[in-house]
């Protein structure tokens, strides 16, 4: 029996729209418990699970209501399954072997299923217990105890004499950096990566502008704060360009002069030019990529150092040198503090709803250094609460995810200044104390030992997650965000970067980034989760069960089979979870274990942090040492000692990926569905996916659809698109039809592709939805068979995809839309038409465009050379756009501007020499601007030399314009009724969304049809 997810009626466009919203301001509260790199939208997971269990012929409208798709924010309401559908959910079993942060199992529980969630890494395993098990088991009482004991921890810290002498309670954040002793003048110079303190803007202009200015007083470099909000009543009229702040008007000049006279501002801070006032924010004095630091005391450039600390302005031949700052920090971390030290620059105070910036004082810095002595004592006596575990050092080859290793930060304790470290250790010990007190309290209330222990485990797990969230915002590799005015995360990217303006955050301040705030976040999360999992109502909510297991997805042996397996497997080299989440692991292990002062002792979640060897429990030092090579991911660093580690890592990933698919197949019922999320970054990933699912696990693809998981994917109305989105692939156990001859297969897929495209177009599919719908229908045909043969032998998966599946997909879509089949034949015209239909005026990354190139037998370089593609600037990577009139904007309708566009492409409209049907299309669009008679005359001239290209150009214009007319011609009212738009409305909407060439194409087609051309 086919399922609803396999039907074209499955409402993917509406699911994506709600998913996009969920990744923005309507985020599920439990996402704020602790940061995790991938968190899939809940409505997407809910829709996929429900669609995988319900039969194909259900009423789509009832489906939308049942899963809450008609709600403004679906994840905030529990699904309401009609009684007639309960048989499809009740007692059904779901497995997620890569459960991650729990989106899929959470939604499966809300649908009343019996859920098994598996994770390899201890950190993720503990998080899953907190998300799935404890709220369902203990309910709302948990939130009250987490709140009570969280308050107890903050009160204990506030009253701790050591903490009180290290922090001022009225300071929320200290912004600090590293100082290096200048090899030229011998003075200490701070390395400041950003002098801005506040650059906050809204729709009305700037709201907050403040920055630092360095000053040298002959002894040391000090910092002064220039806060323009204190000088001007409001700064909304400021213009900021780069590092210059400009105000214009006589009134501003007078305010500045007054501020200088009152001592609020120094004359050197500002330049007055007539009625213009210019403030210059200093440029950063460190450029790590250029291996350069400028001394703020003597203004000399600091470049390189050898291992003895000798300075060089240029790299000497035959001598091993490194950036002086790297050398200095490495020495600091080895215990030699002659070359580098930590320094506080600015302190941030919360004043009502505003912030106040003040320079850090000598006393502030002395308190920071005072904590160093206390930490040194702990380290010298070998206190196990100091996280001395090694960071994954193999990352040095290369240090892609941990550039911090190059600065000597090779153990986790080195990612915190001494004051932060001391505070975090105290919080760990307080959490341990809470665990003991909660357990004792429950035993006194008459609970049995097992339940009391588990309840105490639950409470301290949430307190520990608040600690981890605080740690993420409170390290020496985070940074101050000048646009949001709070500390940013350490783990904000797919690695841990070196930052020069780090934040030391006071635990009890009323600001984002503090322990106080993150304890509150746990309460909001618990309220959400208990409502989602245990609220009694007339639905299946609370009916199901959950098992959270720590296990290896490549070698599952669960002893049962599942109705549906839905999972989000790792994507090759996406995120090195094992190594990065050690940042959490070393602290989580301490908070949830006990200590005898010499070593950690197992307590809560002991199998996550200790392994039993004989009769002894042995501590698992780090995840990377224990689990890295078992994690399904591609990380060449893990094979550092191998000669061909890139190739070895790739094969290792592919083997584990395939083993995971085989294991999933073994746990799938014969009529069950396996549904996998997969991040499509390039066509190579499809080869890996098919090798694992089709070739190794003997599964058949029945559907593929793009699901919005990370960002908006509305193709028609976006100015930019990346194919880096999750493709949901639906698999079934293959019927095993044996081999098929290539010629037979080609006939079948060439016949099937346009039919599938017509079906999906009929159901309103467009863009990526259409592309992957058609591709899946072709793959369904391909994966019915075990092998595709040809006279030269069996075809590889790569050959099947690149030479047959991709071309058939694009040709099928074009053929389904074209009024006359076969009119668009040339590779360039096919590429141009497919790009327009699937991606509109979006820009594509270099990897993203490969699929289109393969499908149309083109290549990006030739298309650029022939004026069909244009490379556009991007801050991070190569991007391409169609070289089309859309690049002109509204000027596309201006004859002179269009003429210039053609000449830039090497086309003279008076005596054209086109190189392709695309050139002819652009010429015809230009001639149509000159009137029907001119167009008719020029078409006749062009037909004499390029008849086939003229026909192809008109076919392209017809195909694209009719497609967009259909898309924009039907709009849904708020009540869901279809409203037909007239041509004027359609043109207005097309122009509004930047589809200027589509308007030109439409006018061209109208002129051709109406003028007998």
């Amino acid at each position: 029996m086919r399922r609803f997810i396999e039907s074209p009626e499955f409402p993917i466009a509406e699911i994506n729209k709600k998913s996009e919203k969920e990744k923005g301001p309507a985020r599920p509260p439990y996402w704020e418990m602790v940061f995790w790199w991938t968190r899939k939208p809940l409505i997407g997971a809910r829709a996929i699970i429900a669609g995988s269990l319900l039969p194909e012929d259900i009423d789509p409208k009832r489906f939308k209501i049942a899963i809450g798709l008609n709600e403004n924010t679906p994840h905030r309401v529990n699904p309401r399954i009609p009684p007639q559908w309960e048989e499809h959910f009740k007692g059904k079993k779901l497995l997620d072997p890569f459960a991650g942060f729990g989106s899929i199992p959470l939604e499966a529980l809300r649908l009343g299923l019996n859920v098994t969630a598996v994770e390899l890494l201890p950190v993720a395993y503990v998080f899953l217990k907190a998300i799935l098990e404890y709220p369902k088991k203990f309910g709302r009482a948990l939130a009250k105890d987490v709140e009570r004991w969280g308050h107890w921890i903050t009160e204990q810290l506030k009253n701790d004499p050591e903490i009180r002498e290290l922090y001022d309670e009225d300071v929320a954040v200290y912004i600090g950096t590293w100082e290096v002793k200048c090899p030229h003048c011998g003075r200490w110079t701070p390395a400041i990566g950003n002098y801005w303190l506040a650059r906050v803007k809204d729709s009305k202009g700037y709201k907050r502008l403040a920055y630092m200015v360095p000053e040298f007083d002959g002894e040391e470099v000090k910092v002064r704060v220039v806060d323009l909000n204190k000088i001007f009543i409001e700064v909304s009229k400021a213009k900021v360009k780069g590092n210059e702040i400009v105000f214009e008007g006589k009134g501003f000049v007078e305010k500045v002069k007054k501020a200088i006279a009152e001592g609020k501002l120094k004359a050197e801070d500002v330049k007055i030019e007539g009625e213009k006032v210019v403030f210059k924010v200093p440029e950063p004095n460190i450029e790590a990529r250029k291996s350069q630091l400028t001394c703020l005391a003597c203004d000399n450039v600091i470049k390189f150092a050898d291992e003895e600390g000798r300075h060089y302005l240029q790299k000497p031949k035959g001598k091993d040198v490194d950036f002086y700052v790297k050398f200095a920090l490495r020495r600091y971390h080895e215990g030699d503090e002659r070359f580098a030290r930590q320094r506080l620059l600015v302190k941030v105070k919360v004043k009502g709803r505003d912030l106040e910036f003040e320079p850090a004082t000598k006393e502030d810095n002395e308190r920071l250094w005072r904590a160093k002595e206390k930490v040194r004592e702990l380290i010298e006596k070998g206190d196990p609460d100091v996280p001395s575990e090694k960071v994954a050092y193999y990352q040095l080859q290369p240090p892609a995810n941990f550039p911090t290793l190059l600065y000597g930060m090779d153990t986790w304790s080195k990612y915190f200044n001494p004051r932060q470290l001391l505070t975090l250790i105290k919080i760990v010990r307080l959490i341990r104390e809470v665990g003991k007190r909660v357990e004792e309290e429950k035993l006194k209330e008459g609970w049995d030992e097992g339940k009391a222990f588990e309840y105490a485990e639950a409470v301290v797990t949430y307190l520990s997650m608040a600690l981890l969230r605080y740690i993420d915002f409170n390290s020496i590799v985070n940074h101050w965000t000048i646009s949001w005015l709070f500390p940013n995360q350490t783990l904000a990217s797919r690695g841990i970067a070196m930052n020069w303006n780090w934040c030391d955050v006071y635990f009890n301040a009323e600001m984002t980034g503090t322990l106080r705030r993150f304890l509150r976040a746990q309460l909001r999360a618990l309220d959400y989760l208990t409502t989602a999992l245990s609220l009694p109502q007339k639905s299946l909510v609370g009916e199901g069960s959950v098992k959270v297991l720590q296990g290896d997805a490549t070698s599952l042996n669960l002893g049962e089979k599942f109705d549906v397996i839905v999972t989000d497997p790792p994507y090759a080299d996406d995120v090195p979870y094992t190594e990065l989440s050690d940042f959490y692991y070393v602290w989580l292990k301490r908070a949830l274990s006990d200590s005898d002062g010499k070593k950690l002792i197992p307590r809560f979640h002991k199998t996550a942090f200790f392994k039993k060897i004989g009769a002894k429990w042995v501590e698992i030092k780090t995840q990377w040492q224990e689990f890295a090579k078992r994690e399904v991911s591609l990380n060449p660093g893990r094979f550092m000692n191998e000669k061909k580690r890139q190739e070895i890592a790739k094969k290792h990933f592919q083997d584990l990926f395939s083993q995971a698919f085989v294991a999933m197949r073994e746990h799938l019922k014969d009529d069950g569905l396996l549904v996998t999320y997969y991040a499509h970054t390039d066509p190579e990933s499809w080869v890996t996916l098919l090798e694992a699912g089709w070739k190794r696990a003997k599964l058949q693809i029945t559907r593929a659809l793009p699901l919005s998981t990370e960002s908006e994917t509305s193709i028609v109305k976006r100015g930019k698109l990346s194919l880096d989105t999750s493709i949901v692939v639906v698999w079934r156990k293959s019927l095993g039809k044996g081999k098929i001859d290539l010629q037979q297969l080609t006939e079948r897929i060439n016949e099937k592709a346009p039919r599938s495209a017509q079906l999906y177009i009929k159901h309103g599919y467009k863009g990526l939805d259409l592309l992957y719908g058609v591709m899946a229908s072709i793959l369904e045909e391909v994966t019915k068979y075990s092998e595709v043969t040809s006279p030269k032998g069996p075809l590889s998966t790569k050959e099947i995809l690149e030479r047959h599946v991709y071309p058939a997909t694009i040709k099928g879509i074009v053929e389904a839309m074209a009024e006359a089949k076969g009119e668009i034949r040339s590779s360039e015209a096919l590429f141009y038409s497919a790009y327009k239909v699937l991606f509109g005026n979006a820009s594509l990354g270099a990897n993203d465009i490969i699929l289109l190139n393969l499908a149309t037998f083109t290549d990006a370089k030739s298309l650029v050379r022939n004026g069909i593609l244009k490379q556009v600037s991007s801050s991070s990577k190569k991007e391409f756009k169609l070289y089309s009139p859309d690049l002109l904007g509204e000027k596309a309708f201006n004859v002179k501007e269009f003429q210039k566009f053609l000449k830039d492409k090497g086309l003279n409209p008076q005596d054209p020499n086109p190189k392709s049907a695309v050139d002819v299309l652009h010429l015809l669009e230009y001639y149509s601007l000159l009137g029907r008679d001119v167009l008719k005359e020029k078409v006749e001239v062009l037909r004499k030399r390029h008849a086939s290209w003229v026909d192809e150009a008109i076919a392209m214009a017809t195909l694209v314009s009719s497609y967009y007319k259909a898309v924009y011609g039907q709009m849904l009212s708020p009540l869901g009724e279809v409203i037909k738009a007239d041509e004027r409305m359609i043109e207005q909407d097309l122009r509004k969304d930047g589809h200027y060439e589509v308007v030109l194409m439409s006018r061209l087609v109208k002129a051709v049809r109406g003028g007998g051309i």
Side-chain angles (χ1 to χ4, degrees), residues 565 657-670 672-676 689-702 729-737 779-786:
I565 300 174
F657 196 66
S658 294
Q659 287 170 31
F661 267 81
V662 171
M664 288 190 286
R665 186 189 195 281
E666 293 304 310
H667 285 82
L668 187 66
K669 289 183 178 178
D670 288 342
L673 292 189
L674 166 62
V675 185
T676 56
L689 185 66
L690 280 176
E691 283 287 333
W694 173 39
K695 289 289 189 179
R696 295 281 291 274
K698 311 300 181 192
L699 296 165
Q700 178 186 359
I701 289 177
T702 61
V729 182
V730 182
W731 308 79
R732 284 181 177 271
K733 287 187 175 181
S734 176
L735 298 174
K737 286 195 171 183
L779 287 173
E780 182 180 4
E781 193 66 36
V782 172
T783 55
K784 282 178 184 176
Y785 305 94
S786 60

Side-chain angles (χ1 to χ4, degrees), residues 787-817:
E787 194 171 77
V788 179
T789 62
S790 73
K792 293 182 180 179
L795 269 69
S796 69
T797 305
K798 189 173 183 179
E799 286 177 304
I800 294 168
L801 283 167
E802 292 184 0
R803 297 183 187 176
H804 304 283
V805 173
Y806 298 152
T809 301
I810 297 301
K811 286 176 183 175
I813 291 169
V814 170
E815 195 173 295
M817 293 177 179

Side-chain angles (χ1 to χ4, degrees), residues 40-52:
K40 296 295 182 273
L42 298 183
I43 183 56
R46 183 186 299 180
I48 285 165
I49 296 164
S52 300

Side-chain angles (χ1 to χ4, degrees), residues 840-899:
N841 54 16
S843 58
L844 297 181
N847 281 340
D848 304 333
I849 214 159
I850 292 173
L851 188 145
L852 265 187
N853 286 152
L854 291 170
T856 56
F857 302 102
T858 57
D859 69 90
K861 284 184 181 177
S862 298
L863 292 169
V864 170
R865 192 167 54 247
N866 292 323
I868 293 167
L869 268 184
K870 189 176 181 72
Q871 191 171 326
V872 293
S873 62
S874 167
S875 58
S876 59
K877 59 184 178 180
K878 269 188 186 179
E879 287 190 350
F880 298 89
K881 262 195 171 185
L882 281 184
Y883 202 153
S884 79
D886 285 337
L887 296 171
L888 297 173
E890 281 286 351
K891 292 178 181 177
F893 306 103
N894 181 294
V895 172
K896 287 186 179 179
E897 292 295 333
F898 206 118
Q899 195 175 63

